[in-house]
Amino acid sequence: MLNVEADYHQNQMPPKAPLKPLLVRAFSGEPIERPPVWLMRQAGRYMHEYQAVRQKTDFMTLCKTPALAAEVSMQPILAFGMDAVIVFSDILPPAEAMGLALTFGDKGPCFPNALLPDQVASLRIPEPEADLGFMLETLKILRRELSSPEHQDRALIGFAGAPWTLATYMIEGAIASEKGRHLHKTKAWLYNRPSVLHALLEKLALTIGRYLIAQIHAGAQAVQLFDTWAGHLSAREYAEFALPYQRRVISAVRQAHPEIPVIMYARGMRGCLPLLTQSGATVLSLDEFSDLSESRSALDANGFADLALQGNLDPVALWQADPERLTELTKQTLASGGSRRYGFNLGHGVLQYTPRDHVARVVDTAQAFRWQAP
Amino acid sequence: MLNVEADYHQNQMPPKAPLKPLLVRAFSGEPIERPPVWLMRQAGRYMHEYQAVRQKTDFMTLCKTPALAAEVSMQPILAFGMDAVIVFSDILPPAEAMGLALTFGDKGPCFPNALLPDQVASLRIPEPEADLGFMLETLKILRRELSSPEHQDRALIGFAGAPWTLATYMIEGAIASEKGRHLHKTKAWLYNRPSVLHALLEKLALTIGRYLIAQIHAGAQAVQLFDTWAGHLSAREYAEFALPYQRRVISAVRQAHPEIPVIMYARGMRGCLPLLTQSGATVLSLDEFSDLSESRSALDANGFADLALQGNLDPVALWQADPERLTELTKQTLASGGSRRYGFNLGHGVLQYTPRDHVARVVDTAQAFRWQAP
């Protein structure tokens, strides 16, 4: 009877992870003998396994087909053995679920009809289970796969775009263009229609908070919020248009699941650590321009000793550095991260041109690393 | 006799400016009633006068034809009345004069054959008068034009790219591409061939130091060094590959002409003020992400009260903000700059899409501004 019931539940619900994986232990401040290792955008075009899937499937179909998205999420784990799986998806589906049509163009996903100010009021707040079920289903599949003994020390990470960054994509439509990279439409809202921008950010914060909580229900053991375009804001603008909405998302997640590490990645914000500490996140993921050891010291000296760090090898080094130099840079990054509340990662996502033996080298080097006695 | 001699000299040499123009007085700490106003890339595609010249002439020919380059340099002054003229040119001709062929492609000037490591040794150090005479001739023409009574309070500004930024252009060939914007070739040198990169930067520092001194001899009353790609470096990398070569250039200029303000623009370095103070510049030009008033306070508190500031209205605000909002943002910037050793400018160059009435509004607002009694 018990077995039958267990099997029944296994098909309906993700099994609980048997123990806290390395990444969660590290970010919670538990003693660990080496930092956990994963890489932003670790599944993607640099892998021939990924290219093989993409030859049969377009990007959006891949994101929306849980079996395929789960397969692609696991590819880097099977090839390189990272300590965490980040669910394969894109940051834009929640905006699509709010009512803005999404397509996949030459240069990635985009909104062919950019959002106009008078459309903000009619955007809906999605129900994650009904509207973004594909992502949750992918997490459930991954949760089951990671419950096998060989994977049980690997963490499953969910993610979402932060409200400011999602707003820029919705308002610009396409960011890849020469004109779009200035975020000029978003800045026009910011300068001329700040209350409409705030209304959009409110809706996004509510949407993303619910979405991340649903991801945790589906099996995510940590979540990362990506504010990739934060660096396009001055500190004053960041404090008004990015930070309060990060806080709203993170506070919702923390209230519902205080045990779950929340990782905040705000790109282009070096030198602004005091602002970053205010998001309420339990982990700050630093870009490659920031300094891990200086940030650690500054956090410790200012009452943020409990805040963990993640990062920050330059993805261009991963792509371009010669093998021995890459090993050296990886070790420097690890040393800079320190022996407490730190996880190894890149400063940004893996670039599509990256040789896979570079990825293998970095993961192997980081996993062979051990803290020296002080 | 005297008149004849004066006329003779007028045709041979640039006449001395009769008094220190507002910008020089401001940056030297002399009392001024309002800050000087000019805009980076104030001459360019957003002006129909410029477009008219470009319809007859390609970009490189324009740069290399002193009469035309001087005409274009004066266009924004005649249209908007800024307090300084920056000589119209590009940052790449000195690299061309070192021996790397330069062409003008769809997306601006580029080096069709990117520099290879084994070519560094054969790069020559140009003689500014012989190899970059067109730029010096343009300055001499402008010096003469600015000596008329209506212009004599306007400063003439020379400029050059900083060694690190010039090196990235030479090594990448073209930066506009999706791949090139990561500066991956330059980073490959940085990670794998640092001594070759240092050798290139040495040659560039020598070249640029001489070039700026020659510009001062030709009539420039202030010079600006542009390290536009500084933000692609971590603080540690900046301290190794950008800062020492800025210092070398600036020290050469300061030694030869201690009376000339040297303006340092390093983009993407917010939060790194202690590094910026080490260049030896007398003026720091801040990008739109930095905070003028916080920077002023930090400089004053750390023994850099003599360092002047320039900046930093967002060029996207200049393009996109509604007129009244633009006036307000201009006033905020002016207030943030403070009443001492400050010059109004943008955080980066004027964008080509900018409406000219926005430029007129900002210049008029800034020139109507007066310091309040404290």
Side-chain angles (χ1 to χ4, degrees), chain A residues 45 178-179 182-185 187-188 190-194 230-238 267-272 288-291 293-294 314 316-322 325 329 332 336 351-353, chain B residues 45 178-179 182-185 187-188 190-194 230-238 267-272 288-291 293-294 314 316-322 325 329 332 336 351-353:
Chain A
R45 283 189 281 180
E178 160 69 19
K179 234 178 166 175
H182 297 291
L183 306 186
H184 65 290
K185 294 182 191 168
K187 292 262 183 112
L190 185 154
Y191 289 125
N192 305 327
R193 308 288 299 270
H232 282 253
L233 295 171
S234 72
R236 196 168 306 202
E237 291 162 351
Y238 182 91
R267 183 165 178 76
M269 296 301 292
R270 72 158 148 204
C272 302
E288 66 273 28
F289 309 113
S290 307
D291 190 292
S293 67
E294 281 179 20
D314 185 352
V316 184
L318 180 66
W319 169 21
Q320 287 288 340
D322 289 338
R325 185 76 177 114
L329 290 165
Q332 280 173 14
S336 184
L351 293 160
Q352 62 182 107
Y353 324 99
Chain B
R45 282 190 279 181
E178 160 69 18
K179 235 179 164 174
H182 297 291
L183 306 186
H184 65 290
K185 294 181 191 169
K187 293 262 183 111
L190 185 155
Y191 289 126
N192 306 325
R193 309 288 299 271
H232 282 255
L233 295 170
S234 72
R236 197 169 305 200
E237 291 162 349
Y238 182 91
R267 183 165 178 77
M269 295 300 293
R270 73 158 148 204
C272 301
E288 65 272 28
F289 309 114
S290 306
D291 190 291
S293 68
E294 281 179 20
D314 185 352
V316 184
L318 180 65
W319 170 19
Q320 288 288 340
D322 289 339
R325 184 78 176 113
L329 290 165
Q332 280 173 13
S336 184
L351 292 160
Q352 63 181 106
Y353 324 99

Side-chain angles (χ1 to χ4, degrees), chain B residues 116-138:
Chain B
L116 299 174
D118 61 10
Q119 296 169 331
V120 170
S122 60
L123 291 173
R124 50 190 291 274
I125 308 297
E127 292 297 331
E129 293 287 348
D131 301 316
L132 295 154
F134 53 89
M135 155 68 123
L136 307 177
E137 192 51 46
T138 307

Side-chain angles (χ1 to χ4, degrees), chain B residues 89-350:
Chain B
S89 191
D90 191 80
I91 64 166
L92 301 185
E96 183 185 32
M98 292 171 82
L100 198 62
L102 179 66
T103 57
F104 191 78
D106 285 353
K107 298 190 169 181
C110 72
F111 299 106
N113 300 306
L115 187 68
L116 299 174
D118 61 10
Q119 296 169 331
V120 170
S122 60
L123 291 173
R124 50 190 291 274
I125 308 297
E127 292 297 331
E129 293 287 348
D131 301 316
L132 295 154
F134 53 89
M135 155 68 123
L136 307 177
E137 192 51 46
T138 307
L139 281 163
K140 289 175 192 170
I141 296 171
L142 290 168
R143 178 70 276 139
R144 280 195 289 274
E145 294 206 24
L146 293 180
S147 301
S148 74
E150 67 188 305
H151 292 312
Q152 64 187 2
D153 206 27
R154 298 198 161 93
L156 177 58
I157 304 178
F159 76 93
W164 159 253
T165 291
L166 285 176
T168 65
Y169 281 98
M170 296 172 83
I171 298 171
E172 301 298 329
I175 288 180
S177 75
E178 160 69 18
K179 235 179 164 174
R181 73 187 164 81
H182 297 291
L183 306 186
H184 65 290
K185 294 181 191 169
T186 315
K187 293 262 183 111
W189 288 38
L190 185 155
Y191 289 126
N192 306 325
R193 309 288 299 271
S195 61
V196 185
L197 181 54
H198 280 297
L200 172 59
L201 292 164
E202 289 270 6
K203 285 192 166 185
L204 281 164
L206 197 54
T207 297
I208 297 306
R210 288 188 190 176
Y211 185 42
L212 289 177
I213 289 169
Q215 291 184 35
I216 294 167
H217 291 164
Q221 295 158 304
V223 291
Q224 180 154 335
L225 195 58
F226 287 85
D227 221 347
T228 311
W229 297 113
H232 282 255
L233 295 170
S234 72
R236 197 169 305 200
E237 291 162 349
Y238 182 91
E240 182 175 350
F241 296 98
L243 179 61
Y245 303 98
Q246 296 168 2
R247 284 178 66 87
R248 205 152 310 181
V249 170
I250 292 171
S251 147
V253 174
R254 297 284 298 153
Q255 223 164 345
H257 295 282
E259 77 289 0
I260 295 286
V262 179
I263 310 166
M264 179 72 225
Y265 175 72
R267 183 165 178 77
M269 295 300 293
R270 73 158 148 204
C272 301
L273 201 61
L275 272 176
L276 299 182
T277 59
Q278 293 174 43
S279 71
T282 61
V283 187
L284 298 182
S285 193
L286 301 183
D287 69 20
E288 65 272 28
F289 309 114
S290 306
D291 190 291
L292 282 169
S293 68
E294 281 179 20
S295 300
R296 179 76 274 159
S297 304
L299 291 175
D300 290 350
N302 290 283
F304 291 99
D306 284 355
L307 204 47
L309 291 176
Q310 176 176 278
N312 72 345
L313 182 72
D314 185 352
V316 184
L318 180 65
W319 170 19
Q320 288 288 340
D322 289 339
E324 280 165 33
R325 184 78 176 113
L326 186 55
T327 300
E328 189 186 350
L329 290 165
T330 302
K331 289 180 178 171
Q332 280 173 13
T333 303
L334 289 158
S336 184
S339 59
R340 199 168 42 77
R341 293 190 194 261
Y342 165 64
F344 181 88
N345 211 305
L346 300 179
H348 201 188
V350 178

Side-chain angles (χ1 to χ4, degrees), chain A residues 86-109:
Chain A
I86 184 160
V87 57
F88 186 85
S89 191
D90 191 80
I91 63 166
L92 301 185
E96 182 185 33
M98 291 172 82
L100 197 63
L102 179 66
T103 57
F104 191 78
D106 285 351
K107 297 188 169 185

